Amino acid sequence: MVTPFLTDVPVDIDRDTARLRAAEELSGSAYQAAKPSWLSEAFNWVLEKLLGFFDTVDSAVPGGIFAVVLLLVVLIVLIVVIRLRSGPLATSARAERAVFAGRRKASREHRVAAEAAAARGDFDDAVREMFRAVVRSLEERALLDEKSGRTADEAALEAGRLLPDVADALRAGARLFDDVHYGGIPATESGYRSLSELDERCRRSRPVALAAG
């Protein structure tokens, strides 16, 4: 006698039937809930690619990934330095340290303002105005062009090429102006007097191009 239970179990299932039953099983709610989301799959794909890239770099570049990171840091620093020295940031920095701000006055007006400030003991303002008188006088003599945004160092460097006998004094005057006006270092009477002497020397000095002629 054959047991009914054994007769109900299929002995052989063809390929198409097995595939259909597997698809039905996998489409069940339990399997669908366990399936990773598309975001998880995308993250795993990116992670796999990155790890593969790092493995390639580590084996191909001396020093491995650390050397690559170090090189990237150096490149970023170089780009920042170049931008600071030659890009819009450099232009902005120079403009903030310009000798003149606002309307240009005659050198005589700066000179009178410097003398008045010195008379009342305000040597900070006296130093600022006297150095401006020096630069403005050089512009009036066409030894410097009236370039907006020129810094004290730039003025000293440009004028020093034409007036080499006062080039060192011009550079010292530019440092004094920056120290007082931008560095917040209190000016002294001797500092003001040194700029007054520089003003006189520049007014008497002849540019090398004219002296050679």
Side-chain angles (χ1 to χ4, degrees):
M1 179 177 179
V2 180
T3 305
F5 174 76
L6 294 177
T7 58
D8 290 339
V9 178
V11 176
D12 188 19
I13 301 177
D14 61 62
R15 182 178 302 173
D16 292 338
T17 303
R19 185 184 300 111
L20 178 61
R21 291 188 179 180
E24 291 174 350
E25 181 70 18
L26 292 175
S27 63
S29 59
Y31 284 101
Q32 290 300 315
K35 183 180 178 181
S37 66
W38 68 268
L39 184 61
S40 176
E41 291 179 347
F43 175 79
N44 290 335
W45 182 86
V46 172
L47 183 61
E48 180 182 350
K49 294 300 180 183
L50 281 176
L51 291 175
F53 171 75
F54 290 150
D55 288 340
T56 302
V57 170
D58 197 45
S59 60
V61 178
I65 193 63
F66 176 77
V68 174
V69 172
L70 182 61
L71 179 60
L72 288 175
V73 171
V74 171
L75 287 175
I76 292 171
V77 171
L78 286 175
I79 291 171
V80 171
V81 170
I82 291 171
R83 292 281 291 174
L84 286 173
R85 295 182 66 87
S86 61
L89 294 176
T91 302
S92 175
R94 285 196 298 269
E96 292 175 358
R97 298 181 68 86
V99 176
F100 298 106
R103 183 184 69 86
R104 263 181 165 78
K105 298 185 290 187
S107 60
R108 177 181 54 82
E109 294 180 75
H110 287 294
R111 205 170 286 116
V112 169
E115 292 169 355
R120 64 175 182 269
D122 185 358
F123 293 109
D124 287 359
D125 201 30
V127 162
R128 282 190 288 265
E129 291 298 324
M130 186 54 71
F131 186 79
R132 287 170 177 156
V134 171
V135 175
R136 190 70 183 101
S137 178
L138 293 170
E139 291 179 346
E140 291 168 349
R141 294 173 60 191
L143 299 178
L144 291 175
D145 62 333
E146 295 187 9
K147 181 171 67 176
S148 61
R150 177 188 279 116
T151 66
D153 285 336
E154 289 171 340
L157 181 62
E158 293 172 28
R161 295 192 185 105
L162 294 176
L163 304 174
D165 55 329
V166 293
D168 291 341
L170 280 167
R171 286 194 294 270
R175 286 194 298 272
L176 177 58
F177 175 85
D178 283 342
D179 287 345
V180 172
H181 192 48
Y182 296 108
I185 299 175
T188 62
E189 182 176 1
S190 62
Y192 162 70
R193 296 297 176 193
S194 69
L195 288 180
S196 296
E197 294 173 5
L198 174 61
D199 182 42
E200 290 294 331
R201 290 181 62 188
C202 287
R203 292 162 71 184
R204 294 194 305 266
S205 181
R206 296 184 63 197
V208 290
L210 295 180

